[in-house]
Amino acid sequence: FIVFVEVKARPASARGAGVLAVTPAKQRRMAHAALAFLAKREWMNVPVRFDVIEISRSGVMHIPNAFIPPAE
């Protein structure tokens, strides 16, 4: 399993907003980068997931399987 992670730093007042900041456009860019990474290593059959980690003054929140990349 390969996990691609987007890390977002947020002010304490914006708790939960990290995952919202990973827009569909950002998801597409991450998916393209992930595909390039996997293709270069010939790992196209390796399962992957996309997580978001949000860092704020109130702590760290890990959101596994935060999104499935949108279809082209």
Side-chain angles (χ1 to χ4, degrees):
F1 228 105
I2 296 180
V3 179
F4 296 93
V5 181
E6 178 71 12
V7 179
K8 293 293 186 184
R10 298 316 228 193
S13 62
R15 184 110 175 121
V19 72
L20 299 176
V22 184
T23 64
K26 177 66 174 181
Q27 293 173 19
R28 279 191 297 278
R29 287 192 301 272
M30 287 180 68
H32 284 286
L35 281 173
F37 176 86
L38 296 169
K40 184 173 184 174
R41 287 155 183 81
E42 299 181 359
W43 292 348
M44 295 305 291
N45 293 324
V46 176
V48 300
R49 85 172 188 235
F50 295 87
D51 293 6
V52 172
I53 292 180
E54 179 183 296
I55 302 170
S56 68
R57 291 180 197 255
S58 57
V60 176
M61 182 170 52
H62 176 212
I63 306 156
N65 286 318
F67 65 89
I68 296 171
E72 293 284 316

